[in-house]
């Protein structure tokens, strides 16, 4: 088109205008399925983390000890990771299936995913707690040998009516316990001994001099 100043301006082609207006917009389901798929993958990653790291964590507070100075109980169980994994897996899987197959809106699919996650997460937490507590108990060391290697000192000899008594320190606690020699040798007060095991409230010990000879 010619103007008064002699400039030439070309109007947009009708075909080009029509093509621009008819360009299809991105389907909202595409973004929704991508979000649900990402949630599912994060859930899988969280589940792998739980399998690798477990759920038992060291206690921040003072570890409880029994009357003989042995640490008692298992570590603290943290269920945040398995609950998070279950929630992400539920929302991701249910939402993805409902959007792709059920043709629901993203909001409705997400709502159903949250409902399923609310039901599945407590069940998963209960199962993981029972499994983790059983595993921690099975893997715990034999409590009879928890004091093995501790140095003690004989403070009272054995008599006809009682066993000898030794004194030692464990986990900051001073403990006095009945003792018996592994080789049935008499325990002389003032002698340093090494604890082998604790059984039936009696510590079985061996003279440090004998242990030192084997080292």
């Amino acid at each position: 088109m010619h103007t008064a100043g002699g400039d030439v301006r070309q109007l947009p082609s009708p075909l080009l205008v029509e093509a621009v207006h008819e360009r299809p917009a991105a389907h909202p389901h595409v973004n929704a399925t991508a979000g649900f798929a990402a949630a599912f993958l994060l859930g899988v990653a969280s589940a792998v983390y739980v399998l690798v790291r477990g759920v038992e964590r060291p206690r921040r507070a003072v570890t409880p000890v029994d009357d003989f100075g042995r640490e008692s109980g298992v570590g603290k169980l943290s269920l945040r990771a398995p609950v998070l994994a279950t929630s992400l897996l539920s929302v991701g899987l249910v939402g993805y299936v409902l959007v792709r197959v059920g043709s629901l809106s993203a909001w409705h699919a997400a709502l159903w995913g949250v409902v399923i996650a609310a039901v599945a997460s407590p069940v998963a937490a209960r199962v993981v707690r029972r499994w983790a507590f059983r595993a921690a108990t099975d893997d715990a060391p034999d409590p009879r040998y928890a004091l093995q290697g501790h140095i003690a000192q004989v403070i009272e000899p054995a008599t006809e009516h009682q066993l000898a008594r030794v004194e030692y320190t464990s986990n900051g606690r001073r403990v006095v316990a009945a003792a018996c020699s592994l080789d049935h040798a008499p325990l002389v007060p003032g002698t340093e001994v090494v604890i082998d095991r604790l059984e039936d409230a009696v510590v079985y010990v061996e003279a440090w001099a004998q242990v030192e000879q084997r080292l």
Side-chain angles (χ1 to χ4, degrees), residues 58-80:
R59 297 180 181 271
R60 295 183 179 180
V62 178
T63 303
V65 296
D66 61 9
D67 294 337
F68 296 95
R70 298 175 299 183
E71 295 183 359
S72 58
V74 299
K76 180 181 178 181
L77 299 181
S78 176
L79 301 178
R80 287 179 295 181

Side-chain angles (χ1 to χ4, degrees), residues 55 77 79 82 123-135:
V55 295
L77 299 181
L79 301 178
V123 176
R126 185 174 181 179
V127 172
V128 171
R129 181 188 297 273
R130 184 173 300 178
W131 162 77
F133 183 81
R134 181 178 301 175

Side-chain angles (χ1 to χ4, degrees), residues 41-54 81-82 85 89:
L41 293 178
L42 288 175
V44 172
S46 300
V48 172
Y49 174 84
V50 172
L51 292 176
V52 174
R53 293 291 303 276
L89 288 172

Side-chain angles (χ1 to χ4, degrees), residues 10-22:
Q10 186 175 2
L11 294 177
S13 171
L15 295 178
L16 180 59
V17 173
E18 183 178 359
V20 170
H21 285 290
E22 291 182 356

Side-chain angles (χ1 to χ4, degrees), residues 11 21 31 35 43 55 62 85 98 102 137 151 154 172 190 192 196 200 206 209:
L11 294 177
H21 285 290
N31 295 330
V55 295
V62 178
L98 291 180
T137 304
I151 302 296
V154 182
E192 286 191 337
D196 177 72
D200 297 330
E206 186 177 9

